[in-house]
Amino acid sequence: MNITKSKELYEKAIKVLPGGVNSPVRAFKSVGGTPVFIQKGSGSKIYDIDGNEYIDYIGSWGPHLFGHSPDFIKEALIEAIENGTSFGTPTEIEVRVAELVRELVPSIEMIRFVNSGTEATMSAVRVARGYTKRNKIIKFEGSYHGHADFFLIKAGSGALTFGIPTSPGVTEGNAKDTSVADFNNIDSVKNLIQKNKNEIAAIIIEPIAGNMGVVPAEKSFLEELRQICESEKIVLIFDEVMTGFRVAKGGAQEIYNIQPDLTTFGKIIGGGLPVGAYGGKEEIMSLVAPSGPVYQAGTLSGNPLAMAAGYSALSYIKSHPEIYNDLENKSAYLANGFINNLKLFNKNFQLNRVGSMMTLFFTENEVKTYNDAIKSDTNLFAKYFWGMLSRGIYLPPAQFEAFFVSTAHSNDDLQKTIETQREVFSEIFG
Ligand code: KE4
């Protein structure tokens, strides 16, 4: 594949942008090689600056439930921009989006819009701390909630009841208030709660993890987590930045029929523009400034352009709930094609899927926890990634990520992807 222009541009990019990118995963570090620079997206396709066409399974890491620039979002933006871009004042559209989220996700009584998933999760933790007057939080190994300091923490050694920073610049002070439990292991949660009795403000979880690759929570685990938070008066936060409006109209909480105290959103809620949100019980959210003392603010929060795109996306979901059947059918077709390919090469790699988000783990062990996931062969994954990319299939450039099917993916796209994968497996496995 000819990516000459991408290579030339990357040489310039790395001189002015750390790693040549504005978000690390885009730099292809875990698969090697030069990242391709994308110039355009339309429907299920993206096009790089060398003119290569790809069937896109990243969808901007989740926002593009309907593929790239669907007409209804484009039209909403064109209409909105006629009135200006941002005012820093209350606007009607913000109220309409908030009311629409409340309609689609019953656990949301009150919501605050911000500009990213990170802002949403960090603010949700802050208001949970303000509400409970407790300091500590529990997260799960392998889960990612954005880059706020207190999330960049890995499990401490057995003796430690708190975490260890995973990044320079994150202080011990932050780490001591974050404990890390094992996903799908309720005893690990109980153990940390016992060791930090009455000190835990919140437990934050991706109900369907996407950031260790796709690993759904077991229903019994999530039910028990809900009960424990109830009895221990801990705020349960569902981080649905990825799963919100992705796996169902009402997100993962609709699938599991479990109501968290707070939910965080991002990605799809912005229709491709920068929007995050946190919301839930009014008795908690009413503590957020200016109605309460928990401070949080943002110059461009709820800006009219992003709200117009988000409103357009969520309105489409509300009026076309059948899209989730379409997404399920397309995703199941693709997954079955992948499974059949693996059988041809006697490989029992694990494909975890919930609706239109999935991960093919290059390991033959089932993947129910972070420790299962990291058994995957990342070198083999890198070969697979480049084999697919060079044949026009754009997958996440990392094993521990989800990939996504959109309503714009046609049966031809899916069939081509299945056939291409078979070629790549033949090249890799012989
Ligand atoms: P942002 O700050 O990137 O908008 O959202 C952070 C975040 C929070 N919670 C969950 C469950 C998330 O998946 C994310 C962001 N997801 C990554 C992809 N795994 C974004 C891609 C990137 O970092 O560039």
Side-chain angles (χ1 to χ4, degrees):
M1 67 192 282
N2 169 20
I3 57 170
T4 310
K5 288 182 180 168
S6 280
K7 286 184 175 172
E8 287 165 359
L9 188 49
Y10 188 59
E11 289 313 309
K12 283 188 193 170
I14 53 179
K15 294 191 176 76
V16 284
L17 297 166
V21 294
N22 285 303
S23 199
V25 73
R26 303 175 190 172
F28 282 18
K29 287 295 175 213
S30 63
V31 292
T34 304
V36 291
F37 284 67
I38 299 302
Q39 183 166 54
K40 178 184 175 185
S42 175
S44 62
K45 307 292 188 305
I46 50 178
Y47 304 86
D48 71 17
I49 58 175
D50 288 286
N52 298 306
E53 177 185 283
Y54 305 94
I55 301 173
D56 178 25
Y57 288 99
I58 295 191
S60 184
W61 299 97
H64 295 322
L65 189 70
F66 314 106
H68 291 270
S69 57
D71 288 343
F72 56 91
I73 292 181
K74 219 165 18 180
E75 285 152 16
L77 284 170
I78 289 167
E79 188 182 336
I81 208 160
E82 287 300 324
N83 295 326
T85 53
S86 182
F87 314 119
T89 68
T91 59
E92 182 192 356
I93 188 71
E94 293 164 271
V95 179
R96 289 169 65 189
V97 183
E99 289 172 340
L100 187 47
V101 174
R102 207 170 50 175
E103 215 181 312
L104 295 171
V105 188
S107 70
I108 304 296
E109 296 172 351
M110 186 169 272
I111 192 167
R112 168 61 61 86
F113 293 112
V114 290
N115 298 287
S116 70
T118 293
E119 269 193 277
T121 53
M122 62 184 258
S123 307
V125 163
R126 184 180 307 136
V127 72
R129 285 172 161 157
Y131 176 71
T132 58
K133 297 182 178 47
R134 299 175 182 176
N135 297 336
K136 296 188 176 184
I137 64 170
I138 291 176
K139 71 173 289 280
F140 292 87
E141 184 124 50
S143 275
Y144 176 71
H145 303 291
H147 63 86
D149 281 6
F150 43 77
F151 292 135
L152 299 181
I153 308 290
K154 66 179 179 219
S157 65
L160 287 174
T161 65
F162 47 82
I164 301 170
T166 57
S167 163
V170 176
T171 64
E172 300 296 326
N174 254 302
K176 74 174 176 43
D177 285 335
T178 300
S179 294
V180 183
D182 297 328
F183 195 75
N184 275 329
N185 175 341
I186 200 66
D187 290 338
S188 75
V189 177
K190 289 176 179 173
N191 178 35
L192 287 173
I193 291 174
Q194 281 316 313
K195 290 184 176 176
N196 298 278
K197 199 69 180 155
N198 299 324
E199 294 185 84
I200 307 287
I203 295 179
I204 185 166
I205 189 166
E206 294 177 67
I208 297 164
N211 289 289
M212 55 178 102
V214 175
V215 181
E218 310 272 327
K219 187 161 172 62
S220 56
F221 165 72
L222 221 43
E223 284 168 343
E224 199 161 351
L225 190 65
R226 174 66 280 179
Q227 285 158 13
I228 291 172
C229 287
E230 211 68 49
S231 56
E232 296 286 339
K233 299 194 177 0
I234 294 171
V235 174
L236 178 58
I237 304 172
F238 273 13
D239 178 356
E240 295 223 45
V241 166
M242 189 182 294
T243 56
F245 315 107
R246 164 62 58 182
V247 296
K249 179 169 58 64
Q253 56 196 268
E254 177 184 300
I255 292 179
Y256 285 94
N257 193 25
I258 294 176
Q259 290 216 343
D261 301 307
L262 295 178
T263 303
T264 55
F265 298 103
K267 299 181 194 280
I268 293 171
I269 199 173
L273 268 68
V275 177
Y278 63 107
K281 286 182 175 167
E282 185 171 350
E283 89 181 89
I284 302 175
M285 289 303 293
S286 59
L287 290 176
V288 176
S291 62
V294 177
Y295 197 71
Q296 182 268 310
T299 303
L300 293 170
S301 295
N303 79 78
L305 282 195
M307 290 286 99
Y311 187 73
S312 174
L314 298 185
S315 301
Y316 193 91
I317 287 170
K318 180 185 171 186
S319 50
H320 298 82
E322 72 281 0
I323 59 167
Y324 291 102
N325 296 332
D326 176 40
L327 288 166
E328 175 56 29
N329 294 336
K330 287 178 174 176
S331 304
Y333 180 80
L334 186 69
N336 292 334
F338 283 6
I339 301 295
N340 292 336
N341 284 347
L342 288 165
K343 282 179 185 156
L344 290 175
F345 296 91
N346 299 315
K347 297 291 179 187
N348 182 30
F349 292 155
Q350 300 295 302
L351 195 146
N352 286 4
R353 177 177 76 86
V354 179
S356 59
M357 64 185 267
M358 63 186 108
T359 297
L360 177 59
F361 290 97
F362 279 62
T363 175
E364 303 210 322
N365 313 294
E366 65 174 359
V367 181
K368 289 186 178 301
T369 68
Y370 173 69
N371 285 329
D372 295 337
I374 56 176
K375 290 181 185 134
S376 303
D377 183 335
T378 51
N379 294 327
L380 197 50
F381 176 83
K383 288 196 191 110
Y384 168 66
F385 170 81
W386 277 104
M388 296 291 271
L389 189 75
S390 59
R391 292 173 174 80
I393 310 295
Y394 200 108
L395 295 169
Q399 166 68 89
F400 307 113
E401 292 289 352
F403 66 87
F404 305 98
V405 175
S406 79
T407 57
H409 283 83
S410 67
N411 289 335
D412 286 350
D413 291 333
L414 303 176
Q415 192 51 41
K416 180 186 175 195
T417 306
I418 292 165
E419 286 162 10
T420 302
Q421 188 194 62
R422 201 176 309 140
E423 274 175 43
V424 173
F425 281 167
S426 172
E427 183 181 78
I428 296 177
F429 302 127

